[in-house]
Amino acid sequence: MIDLRMKHLVKLALVNIYQNKTRTFLSTLGVIVGTATIFLVIAIGKGGEAQVSEQFSKLNVGTIIVRSAMRGKVVDPLTEKDAELFAQSEYIASAFPVLFGNGDISYANYSQQSGFIAIYPEFQEKNNLTVWQGRPLGDEDEENRNKCVVLGGELAYVLTDGNPSEILGQTITINHRKFEVVGIYNRVGDSGSGMSYDDSAFLPYTVGKRYLLGKSANPTIFVQATELEAVQLAVEDITSVLNETHRGGGAEQFRILDAGSRLAAAQESARTMSLLLLAVATVVLIVSGIGIMNVMFVTVKERTKEIGILKAIGARKREILSQFLLEAVIISLVGGLLGVVFGYFAVPLLEFLDLPALPSVTGVLLGLLFSVITGIFFGFYPALQAAGLNPIEALRYE
């Protein structure tokens, strides 16, 4: 009886792999691609989730937006009175109307169609609008009805052909009405309101209503819940108020959007996409596993006489099984490690293509785990076949 200890089995497996290194490398390619795909899929998924979180981090997840569900003329629009009623809820910290409009915005010899937003000063803090240059809109602007405006970062850049600082203190026209530019906001990206804040001009609420939109303008109401956990209760109170004050159609005439739900939905979409890509990567690994199994079958055939000799001198069935299974695992593990390395090198390429990717330990572990499982699963049957060979028939095999 011989005792083939693990180190001897490993050494024997490595020798056999080395002797057939070209064939082994070719069979490993599938594992490399599969593992790299899993690694990158997880990296892309985490990158997407991080990007979504970053975009929504600029919004307050306790913000609720109430707007008409219809475009154009609305029969029973929201009013400033609705905002006052919303604010009476114990789950709502504040509620204020906002007016959105579009028009011709001109400065010097340049003009373009863009959005303008009539707001109360607190709108700026609730929407993380910070001033890059100049000053924000203040209570005095609302009280004195100052015809002033603060520009979004992108709009200021466009109007001045890349030199936004020059527009501070100057006069622009919005639909042929003149306003003084008192500030420029930092860029904020996705606003969550359906209108880009970066491309918009902001002016005091009463000024926008009086000079640009008229008294019949339909406001959108921004509501701030007292805390994140109170958002759903605040939405229920808003629905009750709308059903009470708009009896013609109740709350069904309006859309009630909360940033938290949008964030959760966006993250769920990113996770769903990751799972889909993960399924594709799993198929790649299965195909590569079939390749490994074929290689192991060929190896068993080629080494049948060697197996017969080992059995003749006392090698046990489980030792033969372990040796061949070990070879399959080593092949898949090496392929997995190379796949992870390949994945790391591919991350900068994805970023160059504007595809966010965030490498993670989870991606490394899952990639290696899947590769090893592939080796064990697809290497087991050929190994079992080798272990079950009759020693006399194996010695006679040519």
Side-chain angles (χ1 to χ4, degrees):
M1 296 283 288
I2 63 173
D3 184 17
L4 294 176
R5 297 180 182 280
M6 182 55 70
K7 65 178 182 181
H8 296 138
L9 291 175
V10 172
K11 184 177 180 181
L12 200 54
L14 291 175
V15 168
N16 287 323
I17 289 172
Y18 181 77
Q19 288 176 344
N20 300 286
K21 49 184 177 294
T22 302
R23 188 174 61 194
T24 302
F25 173 73
L26 292 176
S27 65
T28 307
L29 281 177
V31 180
I32 295 174
V33 173
T35 306
T37 305
I38 288 178
F39 176 82
L40 290 174
V41 162
I42 294 173
I44 291 171
K46 288 192 172 294
E49 288 182 23
Q51 189 179 51
V52 169
S53 298
E54 182 182 357
Q55 288 177 347
F56 278 83
S57 67
K58 296 170 183 174
L59 304 175
N60 191 328
V61 291
T63 298
I64 303 165
I65 301 174
V66 186
R67 60 165 55 137
S68 171
M70 298 173 60
R71 289 185 176 181
K73 188 176 181 181
V74 180
V75 177
D76 191 13
L78 292 166
T79 65
E80 285 85 356
K81 182 67 176 178
D82 289 319
E84 295 175 8
L85 294 173
F86 293 162
Q88 294 176 9
S89 167
E90 62 179 307
Y91 306 110
I92 293 174
S94 62
F96 45 87
V98 178
L99 294 171
F100 292 91
N102 284 283
D104 182 70
I105 299 180
S106 305
Y107 171 67
N109 296 319
Y110 188 84
S111 68
Q112 74 163 31
Q113 289 291 314
S114 193
F116 57 86
I117 307 175
I119 61 172
Y120 284 99
E122 59 188 311
F123 178 90
Q124 300 166 105
E125 180 186 354
K126 302 301 182 186
N127 289 272
N128 295 322
L129 288 172
T130 56
V131 171
W132 173 58
Q133 286 193 27
R135 65 170 179 85
L137 295 174
D139 292 333
E140 68 279 6
D141 295 318
E142 184 63 39
E143 293 167 1
N144 299 328
R145 299 187 176 181
N146 293 333
K147 294 179 70 176
C148 58
V149 64
V150 179
L151 301 179
E154 184 62 26
L155 179 60
Y157 186 88
V158 171
L159 288 175
T160 57
D161 197 20
N163 187 23
S165 299
E166 75 171 47
I167 204 168
L168 273 179
Q170 302 300 313
T171 299
I172 66 169
T173 62
I174 303 177
N175 288 348
H176 309 294
R177 297 279 188 174
K178 293 182 179 180
F179 297 90
E180 179 189 0
V181 179
V182 296
I184 301 172
Y185 292 124
N186 286 304
R187 288 182 171 87
V188 295
D190 182 7
S191 66
S193 68
M195 178 179 280
S196 169
Y197 291 170
D198 294 334
D199 293 321
S200 300
F202 296 77
L203 58 161
Y205 184 84
T206 52
V207 172
K209 183 175 181 178
R210 178 174 181 179
Y211 294 105
L212 295 175
L213 292 160
K215 294 182 179 179
S216 61
N218 301 326
T220 295
I221 298 179
F222 276 63
V223 178
Q224 186 66 45
T226 51
E227 55 186 351
L228 184 58
E229 292 72 19
V231 168
Q232 191 55 45
L233 295 170
V235 169
E236 292 175 6
D237 281 356
I238 291 169
T239 303
S240 297
V241 170
L242 292 175
N243 285 330
E244 183 65 27
T245 56
H246 298 266
R247 296 186 176 180
E252 292 183 0
Q253 304 172 84
F254 307 100
R255 294 184 66 193
I256 304 174
L257 310 171
D258 68 275
S261 297
R262 289 187 63 210
L263 172 60
Q267 289 179 328
E268 185 61 30
S269 296
R271 280 193 287 271
T272 302
M273 182 59 70
S274 296
L275 289 175
L276 182 64
L277 295 174
L278 192 61
V280 173
T282 304
V283 172
V284 173
L285 272 180
I286 290 174
V287 173
S288 67
I290 293 173
I292 291 176
M293 188 164 64
N294 287 334
V295 168
M296 294 307 298
F297 275 132
V298 172
T299 303
V300 171
K301 284 284 184 185
E302 290 178 348
R303 292 163 56 190
T304 298
K305 184 163 282 187
E306 175 190 329
I307 295 169
I309 294 171
L310 287 172
K311 285 205 165 189
I313 60 178
R316 288 169 291 187
K317 185 176 178 179
R318 67 179 175 84
E319 290 167 341
I320 301 296
L321 178 75
S322 299
Q323 182 189 337
F324 280 87
L325 194 57
L326 200 56
E327 284 186 35
V329 171
I330 290 174
I331 290 172
S332 60
L333 183 59
V334 171
L337 289 170
L338 291 174
V340 169
V341 173
F342 181 77
Y344 261 111
F345 279 108
V347 167
L349 178 62
L350 294 178
E351 292 174 347
F352 177 76
L353 297 173
D354 287 334
L355 193 60
L358 191 63
S360 66
V361 176
T362 304
V364 174
L365 295 178
L366 270 183
L368 293 177
L369 180 64
F370 270 79
S371 66
V372 170
I373 289 175
T374 299
I376 293 174
F377 185 81
F378 289 95
F380 184 78
Y381 183 65
L384 187 64
Q385 193 179 55
L389 284 175
N390 184 294
I392 297 175
E393 292 179 358
L395 286 170
R396 289 177 178 172
Y397 182 80
E398 294 295 337

